[in-house]
Amino acid sequence: MSSSLRPRPVPGLGSALIGAEEEALVLDVLRRKEPFRYYGTDFKSTPPMVATLEKEFREYIGTDYALAVNSGTGALEVALAAMGVGPGDEVILTAWSWISCFTAIVRTGARPVLAEIDESLNMPATEIARLVTPRTRAVVVVHYQGVAADMEPIVLEAHRRGIFVLEDCAQSLGASYRGRKIGSWGDVATYSLQYNKVATCGEGGMVVTRDQRIYERAVRLSDLGNYRPYHATIVPPHEAAFVGGQYRMSELQGAVALAQLRKVEQIRARCRALQARILPRLAGLKGLSLRKNPDPDGDLGFEPYLLLDNPAHVAPFREKLDARNVNCGARTGTYPQYNRDYMKSPHMTAHPATSPFRDCQEWPAPGYRPADFPRTESITGRFIALPLGVLYTDADADHIADSVIAVHGEVCG
Ligand SMILES: Cc1ncc(COP(=O)(O)O)c(C=O)c1O
């Protein structure tokens, strides 16, 4: 392209806004010399950062309890075990989902049962009816890249059958559905605060729930079985002690995460404004549709998706956008579970006896082969992601829309 090519805009959501607010809270932790969440230098008082983060998080989501942990993966492991998912159980999960959604289920001893996505790139409620068995204990609903799944029919379908709903909100902190924040619809929800997420502290996670028992179990699972006095002030303990892992968040992570949580609405507003400059201009382009969205008032808007009718158009379309310095991708780190390395044999766990697939006679077993997912294969082979950053300018957004229209004319015209 010519030397007048527009420079590539700087990507990033919360990470791009790290600044004075994060700095001030981190310095506060360091100056007090109190980086541990459960006690400070007097070994008695509760330091403020993680506790305040949990309080503001549950208020923001509109739920009763929030527990900070050290990653989104840790949040999934804790939440699944807190619901009582374990060996012999099945958990329904979209095949198109992040590594941890699958591995966290496997690590409880339960078997992930893979569902198709629809054009929203999320799970439709009809997949629960198709895949449920007497062993189904839970469904993990991933709100993929800023757009809520269609929660009302999902929750109705799952609860009618006595199945728990876990909302994985790792990629969608701040999105809402029918006027309520996602994470407040299911029995439990998890979040990630990893670097690429809406809000970040490098590594971090959150478990939220309205259920006192799930909260207490999650606390114990995250802290070596302990239920410390701080949590007893929130919910008095009822459960017999059991063995837990160590998934605690530090005050340093909590400080950054707190400053970032306070910026989520700003990030959401900016990304939605950028998206609103782009999407209306693309409606009606022949052979191209936009990601289905069950509630256009609620999404975060940081990653519009184009779905091309013709899969052969995807590679040239992307190359031409890239040549115009438009950030775009066919993948976002997510790809189908059935194509992942750990799926090469049913002995996918560190110790083969703990694999939920150890008794499978053939592998890949039915339900774990690409041919079993015609809809997911078709959709994911046809889309182009247009990631936006919170620092993108209006002119950057206009350049994206201009480029898509021009490239559409060249490739699909
Ligand atoms: C849908 C989903 N779930 C869980 C996770 C895991 O989060 P973390 O990287 O904080 O462990 C991610 C991270 O990318 C994710 O996208």
Side-chain angles (χ1 to χ4, degrees):
M1 299 286 289
S2 72
S3 55
S4 64
L5 188 61
R6 197 179 167 77
R8 206 171 272 272
V10 181
L13 299 172
S15 61
L17 297 185
I18 293 175
E21 299 80 6
E22 288 77 0
E23 200 177 302
L25 295 186
V26 168
L27 269 178
D28 181 57
V29 174
L30 294 176
R31 287 185 178 141
R32 281 185 291 101
K33 304 188 197 310
E34 294 187 333
F36 182 57
R37 73 159 293 184
Y38 284 120
Y39 48 78
T41 47
D42 63 359
F43 291 94
K44 285 193 201 108
S45 55
T46 303
M49 294 303 168
V50 178
T52 309
L53 172 68
E54 290 175 343
K55 177 174 176 294
E56 293 194 14
F57 209 98
R58 65 181 180 252
E59 286 169 359
Y60 180 63
I61 301 303
T63 188
D64 293 337
Y65 309 110
L67 173 71
V69 291
N70 57 5
S71 70
T73 305
L76 281 168
E77 294 186 0
V78 163
L80 287 162
M83 290 189 296
V85 172
D89 292 337
E90 292 177 358
V91 178
I92 299 171
L93 165 74
T94 39
W96 177 256
S97 49
W98 178 243
I99 303 169
S100 322
C101 310
F102 187 92
T103 58
I105 297 167
V106 169
R107 281 163 61 79
T108 67
R111 182 182 289 202
V113 172
L114 300 180
E116 295 258 43
I117 52 169
D118 67 12
E119 283 72 11
S120 70
L121 310 184
N122 290 329
M123 182 191 299
T126 46
E127 283 299 87
I128 299 176
R130 186 174 74 89
L131 296 168
V132 72
T133 75
R135 291 177 296 283
T136 310
R137 186 73 188 246
V139 51
V140 173
V141 180
V142 180
H143 300 288
Y144 179 72
Q145 294 289 89
V147 174
D150 201 1
M151 287 311 287
E152 203 157 80
I154 288 175
V155 171
L156 270 174
E157 188 67 41
H159 284 176
R160 193 164 73 77
R161 297 167 184 275
I163 299 168
F164 282 117
V165 176
L166 188 164
E167 294 180 76
D168 183 342
C169 310
Q171 302 174 353
S172 300
L173 169 60
S176 62
Y177 169 84
R178 300 196 180 169
R180 257 169 66 191
K181 285 274 183 300
I182 59 156
S184 67
W185 285 84
D187 299 286
V188 61
T190 58
Y191 296 81
S192 167
L193 298 163
Q194 181 266 345
Y195 186 58
N196 298 324
K197 301 304 186 291
V198 178
T200 182
C201 58
E203 298 279 13
M206 192 70 71
V207 178
V208 310
T209 183
R210 282 211 175 79
D211 185 313
Q212 292 197 351
R213 183 163 178 270
I214 290 179
Y215 175 71
E216 181 184 341
R217 285 173 58 87
V219 170
R220 291 188 185 280
L221 283 156
S222 72
D223 185 23
L224 306 169
N226 290 313
Y227 197 72
R228 302 192 196 231
Y230 166 73
H231 295 291
T233 63
I234 295 170
V235 174
H238 293 290
E239 296 280 301
F242 56 83
V243 169
Q246 209 287 59
Y247 296 88
R248 295 183 303 244
M249 178 181 275
S250 82
E251 283 286 282
L252 290 163
Q253 287 168 297
V256 180
L258 179 57
Q260 287 269 297
L261 177 65
R262 293 170 177 169
K263 297 178 180 177
V264 170
E265 282 301 303
Q266 174 193 347
I267 294 166
R268 178 170 190 262
R270 182 62 194 145
C271 291
R272 282 181 63 87
L274 291 166
Q275 179 179 256
R277 286 185 82 90
I278 299 170
L279 292 190
R281 295 186 56 203
L282 310 186
L285 291 178
K286 209 165 141 263
L288 180 156
S289 50
L290 302 176
R291 179 181 182 182
K292 201 171 91 185
N293 184 347
D295 182 1
D297 291 337
D299 69 306
L300 295 172
F302 67 79
E303 194 157 89
Y305 279 74
L306 312 177
L307 278 159
L308 303 187
D309 287 353
N310 185 346
H313 287 162
V314 172
F317 208 113
R318 279 196 57 223
E319 277 159 28
K320 286 176 184 290
L321 285 179
D322 201 59
R324 290 168 182 263
N325 276 353
V326 170
N327 293 330
C328 59
R331 300 271 180 246
T332 52
T334 291
Y335 60 101
Q337 296 290 354
Y338 46 78
N339 287 341
R340 291 192 181 271
D341 274 357
Y342 45 68
M343 292 293 272
K344 289 195 174 137
S345 98
H347 303 303
M348 58 181 61
T349 47
H351 193 296
T354 65
S355 169
F357 299 106
R358 64 189 175 280
D359 298 330
C360 287
Q361 301 299 319
E362 56 169 320
W363 194 258
Y368 298 94
R369 304 165 307 198
D372 301 323
F373 299 90
R375 201 165 178 194
T376 301
E377 285 288 286
S378 159
I379 293 167
T380 58
R382 290 188 292 113
F383 76 54
I384 295 172
L386 297 173
L388 308 178
V390 69
L391 299 181
Y392 279 30
T393 62
D394 288 355
D396 291 327
D398 293 343
H399 176 66
I400 292 170
D402 293 344
S403 299
V404 170
I405 292 164
V407 168
H408 173 267
E410 290 167 30
V411 175
C412 313

